[in-house]
Amino acid sequence: HTCALTNVGTVRCWGANKDGELGDGTTLDRLTPVTVTGLLSGVVAIATNGAYERGGHTCAVLNSGTAKCWGFNEWGQLGDGTTISRSIPVVVGMSASATAISIGRAHSCALISPSGVMCWGAGSSGELGNGSYADSLTPVNVSGLNTGVAQIAAGGNHTCALTSLGGVKCWGYNYYGQLGNGTYSNQNVP
């Protein structure tokens, strides 16, 4: 599926919709863009992932700092404290304000104000970065990244952060060496 952030702060999505990843309240595939339910203004950032093995999910950040996600949720990647897939956006259970968002295969991460990182969803490869290999249905702080992060990017089962000093820290799945640390070992902290 594909989503676009419009110049008036709405989100429109199209394509596969098996688990509600288009956010229009249905599970019908769409050949043309549909407006995501409840996101009629104020969206400043979006992130999508492609359907992998089963369904995809989508997340958005509002100008209020609220993060919302929808779609497939088997590992808690929507961050609402459940594993129930949703066809309309639900609020991510974060106490901090989000400024950016990135999502992988089955996890999601947000850059939070002022410059930390929180992740949620699948954690079996360490992709949540909190020192565990467990899934989390709600956001957890990434170890050692409470401040000093400028940008984040999630891959399939790993995530990287660009620090404000120009460094890069990565964590999660590392079978192909994608963490760049000279090993093939998964890492559950940056």
Side-chain angles (χ1 to χ4, degrees), residues 1 7 10 25 32 44 52 55 61 65 77 84 94 108 113 126-127 136 141 143 159 169 184 187-188:
H1 72 294
N7 61 355
T10 63
T32 58
V44 296
Y52 179 84
V61 174
Q77 58 264 50
I84 300 168
M94 274 192 306
S108 308
S113 183
E127 58 264 60
S136 182
N141 288 309
S143 298
T159 308
K169 295 186 176 188
Y184 293 111
Q187 301 293 316
N188 61 12

Side-chain angles (χ1 to χ4, degrees), residues 176-187:
Y176 301 101
Q178 58 264 55
L179 302 185
N181 65 349
T183 77
Y184 293 111
S185 300
N186 295 349
Q187 301 293 316

